[in-house]
Amino acid sequence: MKAYPYQISSLSEYQDAYQQSMENPAQFWAHIAEHFHWHKKWTPGAELNWNFSEPKVEWFKGAQLNITENLLDRHLADKAHHPALLWEPNAPDEAGRLLTYKKLYEKVCQFAHVLKNNGVQKGDRVCIYMGMIPELAIAVLACARIGAIHSVVFGGFSAQSIADRLYDAQATFIITCDGAYRGAKDIPLKSVIDDALIGNHVVEKVIVCTRTRTPVSMLKGRDLWWEDEMQRVEEMGLTDFPAEPMDAEDPLFILYTSGSTGKPKGVVHTVAGYLLYTHYTFVNVFQYQPGWVHFCTADIGWITGHSYIVYGPLSAGATSLLFEGVPTFPDAGRFWDIVDKYKVNILYTAPTAIRSLMGFGLGPVQGKNLSSLKVLGTVGEPINEEAWHWYDQHIGKGKCPIVDTWWQTETGGCLISNLAGITPAKPGWATLPMPGVKLLLVDENGKEVVAQGEETVSGNLCIAAPWPAILRTTYGDHQRCRTNYFAAYPDLYFTGDGALRDKDGNYRITGRVDDVLNVSGHRIGTAEVENAINMHAGVVESAVVGYPHEVKGQGIYAYVIYQGSHAQDTHGSGDLVRKDILQTVTRIIGAIAKPDKIQFVSGLPKTRSGKIMRRILRKIAEGETDQLGDTSTLLDPGVVDEIKRGRV
Ligand code: 7RM
């Protein structure tokens, strides 16, 4: 059933939509944009202006809107008492929460007052560092309501990572919690923020929401309690806040993501294009039907959570389920209990979670009522066929289409995916581009790869034209945006991924072709991990590569030259130094970047010009020690044998 005029309901409709979007992108997206609430419509001709050489991309520039009116106000007429957010706490015996559209609207407006009362202005950068509680979504939306730019930092990042992001964005406000619950762990968020703020003279206020009642120290004049601030607004009887009219191209948020250099980039998304695209893809990829409960298991700290917990589902008036905890707490049946409890219709998760749960066998699935499920989805990394079939058979019971959605922080929403039950699925393949997405494969010289007859071809995945949610810049450094994404091949956006394309036009993503790792669906730059390892006083040099990991997809393998005071120890087990190094990485980046394996070496394979030959290190980490390819250009070929012998 078509719930929206632009909901694609057959393969031929998909083909028509795709063709129209290629012939006249401006008109195609303007037809969809008509359905939103605008303060001021665009003038004809302003639908799209772009070039990839600067790059410049403008969708509907000059038009005005506020995204929260499209997420909240717009639904008050018919969905005021309909659940917008459902919240499942970390501990299954704690009561959950339900926020109707009206309640969420009121909370967002009240918190918008709090922000205003504390001096937050349109365009200010607000860093949000919270656990997965409804107040996180409220904070995000309140920023959007007043036109402040949110920069959500995942709760697993260290004080140093936060400090770097605060500095890069010149953020003036922080919203955090006393602590967060994640599985058996408590994370002292406020205390991490206190560390991140040492030496920071830019942040003016820190608003702290109570969750764990972990003791915190509040700095006079700087730190405020969320509850106190909200109470003041409530006592004044305020439940509305006039939405700030924003230009279509005003920034909505910054989200930091890892690249091939050591420093994460602040990807910038803008208001109208992001709204349009997350809405359109939510409705079409998942074939969302009114009344459905959508459960995206990502954290709002990642792009998946931004787009498919908050913005996409709420733009559609859907019920979005927010889960505070982890899939294995208190046991590996947690997701299935949640599906049963809330009668979840769409389940959207990462292959790494599926593989990890597969490892517990069928016990945790048995006896769980999963009959509410209609559509399953995956995101974040390639899904292996074994996991795909397990998901299909044991979770979908062979009755739920699975969408494999390929996209990136930079793309804002899904670019390649089958449409649930509408276009064919192919296990391991993300399949077809969304309307508006003009893909091509190129070889290393930038020459387009064209199939001869029915062969499957491979190449570097590029995009030749802008879709509405393409990143606009990297915060504070537009040149970096150009060199990172638009300079490898002239007039193309380069994804950094390699891909295959079959005779039917289906795409299969083979993985990154740059120095970016994908560990449990999280993007981590090898250079970032190396920098962190090198901070350890005894480390002389290091080289980090990925290797195939059964559950995580990729594991992190670090080769380390060590000459510190524990040098003796590295000749023995080296365990003490390993522990030290892991602690350093946790302190500098966060636990997600901890190497799985550390091998101490006396040298690294380098070319005469001093470049580390990662290809060789990758092969050794993968266990492929026989075919290392040409090593004749190495400065000291002998080091390779030593490294092979010492493989961990
Ligand atoms: C949404 C997200 C992006 C990188 C991307 C790919 C990999 C994501 C898939 C995938 C194969 C998929 N954003 N990736 N989805 N690979 N199949 N369905 O994950 O910015 O954090 O990562 O993730 O390499 O470039 S992200």
Side-chain angles (χ1 to χ4, degrees):
M1 203 191 54
K2 243 192 216 313
Y4 303 84
Y6 40 82
Q7 192 170 44
I8 296 167
S9 54
S10 68
L11 179 58
S12 73
E13 272 186 32
Y14 161 75
Q15 287 157 342
D16 288 350
Y18 190 81
Q19 199 188 336
Q20 285 166 22
S21 75
M22 289 297 111
E23 281 165 8
N24 195 338
Q27 191 184 56
F28 177 83
W29 289 108
H31 279 320
I32 297 154
E34 294 284 352
H35 295 268
F36 290 102
H37 175 74
W38 297 84
H39 281 243
K40 186 177 147 212
K41 281 277 179 75
W42 55 94
T43 49
E47 292 88 354
L48 172 61
N49 279 297
W50 69 285
N51 70 69
F52 275 175
S53 52
E54 291 179 52
K56 177 180 92 171
V57 176
E58 294 170 348
W59 284 95
F60 309 104
K61 193 174 169 69
Q64 289 188 341
L65 76 167
N66 184 288
I67 199 166
T68 67
E69 289 182 308
N70 287 284
L71 268 49
L72 301 172
D73 309 47
R74 192 158 76 103
H75 302 310
L76 292 182
D78 59 336
K79 293 198 184 72
H81 305 295
H82 186 78
L85 292 180
L86 296 172
W87 178 69
E88 170 71 4
N90 183 55
D93 51 2
E94 187 183 338
R97 287 166 62 186
L98 182 160
L99 280 82
T100 62
Y101 269 90
K102 180 155 186 286
K103 195 78 199 160
L104 181 60
Y105 166 84
E106 287 175 1
K107 291 278 171 206
V108 168
C109 287
Q110 287 168 338
F111 198 64
H113 278 289
V114 169
L115 293 176
K116 272 283 166 191
N117 290 345
N118 284 288
V120 186
Q121 306 278 329
K122 176 177 177 174
D124 286 350
R125 278 77 54 217
V126 178
C127 172
I128 302 178
Y129 185 67
M130 302 171 82
M132 284 282 283
I133 56 175
E135 283 70 19
L136 167 52
I138 292 166
V140 161
L141 294 171
C143 287
R145 187 112 185 140
I146 69 169
I149 302 169
H150 58 76
S151 164
V152 182
V153 177
F154 171 61
F157 279 115
S158 67
Q160 183 62 54
S161 297
I162 300 164
D164 293 345
R165 286 157 175 75
L166 287 171
Y167 177 79
D168 188 82
Q170 289 293 296
T172 41
F173 295 86
I174 298 179
I175 307 166
T176 188
C177 294
D178 48 359
Y181 296 124
R182 260 180 89 77
K185 281 186 264 185
D186 284 11
I187 303 151
L189 297 176
K190 172 60 165 63
S191 136
V192 177
I193 289 290
D194 290 339
D195 289 346
L197 285 177
I198 295 169
N200 179 305
H201 300 291
V202 182
V203 170
E204 294 165 21
K205 298 245 163 98
V206 179
I207 301 176
V208 185
C209 183
T210 306
R211 171 62 184 130
T212 57
R213 303 197 175 270
T214 310
V216 297
S217 63
M218 299 291 278
L219 206 70
K220 194 186 281 174
R222 186 193 75 181
D223 300 350
L224 306 159
W225 287 106
W226 172 296
E227 292 76 12
D228 294 348
E229 295 298 299
M230 283 293 260
Q231 200 185 339
R232 288 207 295 149
V233 172
E234 278 161 26
E235 277 166 6
M236 293 169 76
L238 298 169
T239 50
D240 294 302
F241 185 100
E244 179 75 31
M246 304 288 285
D247 190 281
E249 280 298 331
D250 277 339
L252 173 65
F253 66 83
I254 305 170
L255 187 58
Y256 285 86
T257 191
S258 295
S260 45
T261 68
K263 194 174 160 255
K265 302 176 285 266
V267 168
V268 175
H269 284 288
T270 55
V271 179
Y274 182 78
L275 167 65
L276 196 55
Y277 198 72
T278 53
H279 175 82
Y280 183 80
T281 51
F282 175 72
V283 159
N284 279 298
V285 169
F286 302 105
Q287 290 288 304
Y288 168 75
Q289 296 296 316
W292 278 11
V293 174
H294 173 75
F295 178 21
C296 168
T297 70
D299 192 289
I300 292 177
W302 308 112
I303 191 68
T304 305
H306 281 60
S307 301
Y308 299 111
I309 295 177
V310 182
Y311 288 103
L314 296 179
S315 74
T319 298
S320 186
L321 172 59
L322 211 100
F323 173 41
E324 182 179 32
V326 296
T328 49
F329 182 83
D331 60 54
R334 190 65 191 277
F335 276 1
W336 324 129
D337 290 332
I338 295 174
V339 167
D340 189 358
K341 178 171 173 188
Y342 296 96
K343 303 289 170 253
V344 169
N345 303 110
I346 306 171
L347 176 65
Y348 190 32
T349 194
T352 188
I354 299 168
R355 286 193 298 267
S356 141
L357 295 176
M358 262 171 77
F360 290 86
L362 289 176
V365 186
Q366 268 149 13
K368 305 293 161 76
N369 183 357
L370 305 180
S371 63
S372 57
L373 288 173
K374 300 276 190 213
V375 172
L376 303 177
T378 67
V379 58
E381 44 172 338
I383 182 160
N384 50 310
E385 289 203 25
E386 193 194 355
W388 195 97
H389 288 294
W390 189 87
Y391 200 29
D392 178 42
Q393 228 182 309
H394 300 295
I395 307 306
K397 315 288 181 195
K399 291 187 305 200
C400 301
I402 300 177
V403 290
D404 177 348
T405 65
W406 174 86
W407 56 295
Q408 309 178 299
T409 305
E410 295 85 346
T411 73
C414 309
L415 293 194
I416 311 180
S417 177
N418 49 316
L419 309 180
I422 302 294
T423 64
K426 184 170 173 178
W429 292 65
T431 76
L432 299 171
M434 292 299 293
V437 178
K438 193 173 181 181
L439 301 175
L440 71 162
L441 297 176
V442 302
D443 65 18
E444 50 289 5
N445 304 316
K447 198 167 159 289
E448 182 167 2
V449 178
V450 184
Q452 304 294 315
E454 306 228 310
E455 66 172 345
T456 293
V457 290
S458 90
N460 292 338
L461 183 63
C462 291
I463 306 169
W467 60 100
I470 186 175
L471 86 161
R472 299 305 195 268
T473 189
T474 46
Y475 193 83
D477 192 349
H478 194 60
Q479 212 41 44
R480 192 160 177 223
C481 175
R482 203 187 76 79
T483 45
N484 251 292
Y485 306 105
F486 299 91
Y489 311 109
D491 294 317
L492 297 178
Y493 169 85
F494 176 43
T495 62
D497 280 322
L500 305 177
R501 186 180 58 229
D502 73 6
K503 64 173 189 349
D504 302 316
N506 291 307
Y507 285 82
R508 177 193 178 98
I509 310 302
T510 49
R512 302 289 302 197
V513 298
D514 53 10
D515 292 320
V516 174
L517 306 180
N518 192 326
V519 181
S520 301
H522 302 323
R523 257 169 84 165
I524 300 166
T526 55
E528 236 178 305
V529 184
E530 288 165 7
N531 289 349
I533 294 174
N534 297 348
M535 300 265 185
H536 189 289
V539 171
V540 179
E541 200 182 357
S542 65
V544 165
V545 297
Y547 70 96
H549 186 287
E550 266 208 37
V551 173
K552 299 179 176 185
Q554 268 187 314
I556 304 179
Y557 196 116
Y559 299 90
V560 175
I561 306 176
Y562 188 84
Q563 277 177 2
S565 57
H566 287 73
Q568 283 305 327
D569 177 51
T570 63
H571 300 305
S573 70
D575 283 349
L576 269 180
V577 179
R578 279 200 182 83
K579 239 177 99 185
D580 257 21
I581 291 175
L582 294 183
Q583 245 172 38
T584 305
V585 173
T586 305
R587 220 158 27 75
I588 302 296
I589 306 175
I592 55 169
K594 276 197 296 196
D596 299 273
K597 294 183 179 181
I598 296 176
Q599 177 180 350
F600 296 107
V601 297
S602 68
L604 292 166
K606 288 192 181 172
T607 63
R608 283 182 189 85
S609 61
K611 236 174 102 73
I612 296 175
M613 291 192 65
R614 289 165 186 286
R615 176 177 56 82
I616 291 173
L617 294 176
R618 238 178 265 134
K619 288 229 158 138
I620 296 174
E622 280 166 19
E624 215 189 281
T625 50
D626 295 338
Q627 267 135 27
L628 294 181
D630 184 12
T631 56
S632 63
T633 57
L634 284 179
L635 193 59
D636 172 15
V639 75
V640 175
D641 286 321
E642 180 216 300
I643 296 177
K644 279 201 309 206
R645 280 196 305 274
R647 193 173 162 267
V648 290

